[in-house]
């Protein structure tokens, strides 16, 4: 049963990698290439080589990937390395042999830049969500993420790619291209972060009350969410209090707030934005295998 489950995970991983790679390939080949944008990451370097020497984009990406992959192997772990290597091969082949089958967009450069950032961002995000990557700069991004886990992937990607965008614009003397490249980079970072963290965003509330048990009951009745009671005390009079914590989605928070205020008008209620909620009743995490 365990082997069957692992086989299903592998098939799912490959399916997601193919889908993500198609989106990335379309963004890169069918939008960015014909608009002559200086792109980000190793794909950006491969585009520069293509425009200068005509080297195939996918093959160039693989060649550039090898030394970086070897350097980052120990830091990222065997499992992530093997998944990323597989995804790198898939994405490179799709860029060279599948993307040319689709029509190329040759219209307005600003629209092309937006489409490149959004479509590419979706492709990268769904691959990252399966604990994989397309290699190259992704290896560097994930390595930095493992060293600095508080940084988001989108922000790391944005900072790491600025130099490549500038280099492409300077080499081809295209200042507009640098601006468009930054727009692509911005949209890509935003989409990656929203896909990975925004989809599961919600609200987190803390309720300071003397009626903790009653509050948990009305929360269950109002929106079907569980809650946690934490023992607390007032800072001034040191009186015993209950701190009720509850996470829910954005739609449920209004009903929760109204029910809590009705149950205890004297309570102190704090509502916070939650970038991601993981656990029972929300998205479940996928445990990576074959790590360090």
């Amino acid at each position: 049963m365990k082997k069957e489950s692992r086989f299903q995970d592998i098939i799912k991983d490959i399916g997601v990698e193919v889908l993500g790679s198609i989106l990335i390939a379309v963004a890169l080949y069918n939008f960015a290439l014909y608009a002559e944008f200086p792109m980000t990451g190793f794909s950006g370097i491969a585009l520069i080589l293509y425009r200068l020497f005509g080297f195939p984009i996918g093959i160039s990406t693989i060649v550039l990937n090898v030394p970086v992959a070897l350097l980052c192997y120990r830091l990222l772990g065997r499992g992530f390395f093997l998944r990323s290597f597989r995804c790198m091969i898939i994405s490179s082949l799709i860029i060279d042999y599948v993307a040319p089958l689709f029509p190329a967009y040759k219209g307005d450069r600003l629209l092309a830049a937006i489409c490149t950032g959004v479509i590419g961002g979706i492709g990268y995000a769904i691959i990252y969500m399966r604990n994989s990557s397309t290699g190259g700069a992704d290896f560097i991004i994930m390595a930095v993420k493992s060293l600095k886990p508080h940084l988001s992937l989108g922000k790391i990607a944005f900072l790491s790619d600025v130099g490549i965008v500038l280099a492409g614009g300077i080499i081809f003397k295209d200042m507009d291209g640098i601006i468009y490249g930054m727009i692509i980079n911005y949209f890509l970072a935003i989409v990656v972060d929203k896909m990975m963290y925004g989809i599961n965003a919600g609200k987190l509330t803390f309720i300071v009350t003397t009626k903790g048990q009653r509050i948990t009951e009305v929360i269950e009745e109002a929106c079907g969410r569980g809650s946690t009671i934490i023992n607390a005390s007032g800072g001034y009079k040191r009186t015993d209090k209950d701190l009720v914590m509850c996470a829910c989605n954005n739609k449920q928070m209004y009903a929760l707030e109204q029910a809590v205020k009705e149950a205890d008008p004297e309570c102190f209620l704090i509502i916070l934005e939650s970038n991601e909620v993981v656990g029972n009743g929300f998205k479940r995490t996928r445990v990576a295998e074959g790590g360090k």
Side-chain angles (χ1 to χ4, degrees):
M1 191 70 180
K2 189 175 181 180
K3 288 184 179 179
E4 183 179 343
S5 177
R6 173 146 178 75
F7 178 75
Q8 291 174 349
D9 279 343
I10 292 173
I11 295 300
K12 189 181 293 185
D13 284 345
I14 294 174
V16 169
E17 288 166 4
V18 170
L19 175 60
S21 296
I22 289 174
L23 293 173
I24 293 169
V26 167
L28 185 67
Y29 189 93
N30 302 90
F31 285 95
L33 177 62
Y34 288 91
E36 298 184 340
F37 292 137
M39 280 292 290
T40 60
F42 277 25
S43 298
I45 299 175
L47 273 177
I48 292 174
L49 295 175
Y50 177 85
R51 292 175 64 185
L52 289 175
F53 309 109
F55 295 159
I57 299 171
I59 300 300
S60 298
T61 303
I62 293 175
V63 172
L64 291 168
N65 266 297
V66 173
V68 176
L70 294 175
L71 287 172
C72 295
Y73 175 82
R74 285 191 175 184
L75 186 60
L76 297 175
R78 179 175 177 271
F80 179 80
F81 173 82
L82 293 177
R83 285 190 295 272
S84 298
F85 188 80
R86 178 184 65 207
C87 188
M88 177 188 69
I89 299 298
I90 291 172
S91 63
S92 296
L93 292 176
I94 288 175
I95 288 171
D96 282 346
Y97 299 105
V98 177
L101 301 177
F102 298 120
Y105 179 77
K106 300 179 181 179
D108 184 76
R109 289 188 89 190
L110 179 58
L111 290 178
I114 294 172
C115 289
T116 300
V118 172
I119 296 172
I122 295 172
Y124 282 116
I126 63 176
I127 289 173
Y128 291 156
M129 287 161 66
R130 295 299 297 178
N131 196 29
S132 184
S133 80
T134 56
D138 288 346
F139 282 138
I140 299 173
I141 292 168
M142 290 298 187
V144 173
K145 177 69 174 175
S146 68
L147 294 172
K148 303 287 185 180
H150 61 282
L151 296 177
S152 73
L153 289 172
K155 290 177 182 177
I156 298 171
F158 182 85
L159 293 174
S160 67
D161 290 336
V162 167
I164 298 174
V165 172
L166 291 174
I170 292 170
I171 289 173
F172 297 107
K173 299 179 180 179
D174 183 7
M175 295 306 296
D176 285 345
I178 293 176
I179 296 172
Y180 286 124
M182 294 298 180
I183 292 173
I184 293 170
N185 206 6
Y186 175 77
F187 274 102
L188 194 147
I190 291 295
V191 171
V192 167
D193 280 349
K194 288 296 182 182
M195 283 285 292
M196 295 191 69
Y197 307 115
I199 288 177
N200 298 292
K203 301 286 187 182
L204 176 65
T205 183
F206 293 99
I207 305 150
V208 181
T209 179
T210 57
K211 304 176 181 179
Q213 188 60 46
R214 176 58 184 154
I215 294 298
T216 62
E217 291 171 0
V218 299
I219 289 174
E220 175 69 27
E221 293 169 2
C223 58
R225 287 293 178 191
S227 55
T228 301
I229 299 178
I230 303 170
N231 294 327
S233 62
Y236 180 65
K237 294 184 178 180
R238 312 301 294 178
T239 54
D240 291 337
K241 301 278 188 179
D242 290 325
L243 177 63
V244 181
M245 181 180 71
C246 179
C248 63
N249 62 40
N250 294 323
K251 292 180 181 179
Q252 294 169 330
M253 181 51 69
Y254 178 78
L256 183 151
E257 182 181 1
Q258 299 306 308
V260 167
K261 287 180 178 178
E262 184 177 342
D264 183 7
E266 302 300 322
C267 73
F268 185 72
L269 189 145
I270 304 169
I271 299 174
L272 304 173
E273 294 290 339
S274 176
N275 288 333
E276 185 168 27
V277 183
V278 177
N280 188 27
F282 296 93
K283 184 190 80 170
R284 293 186 178 275
T285 56
R286 178 189 182 218
V287 179
E289 296 181 8
K292 289 192 283 186

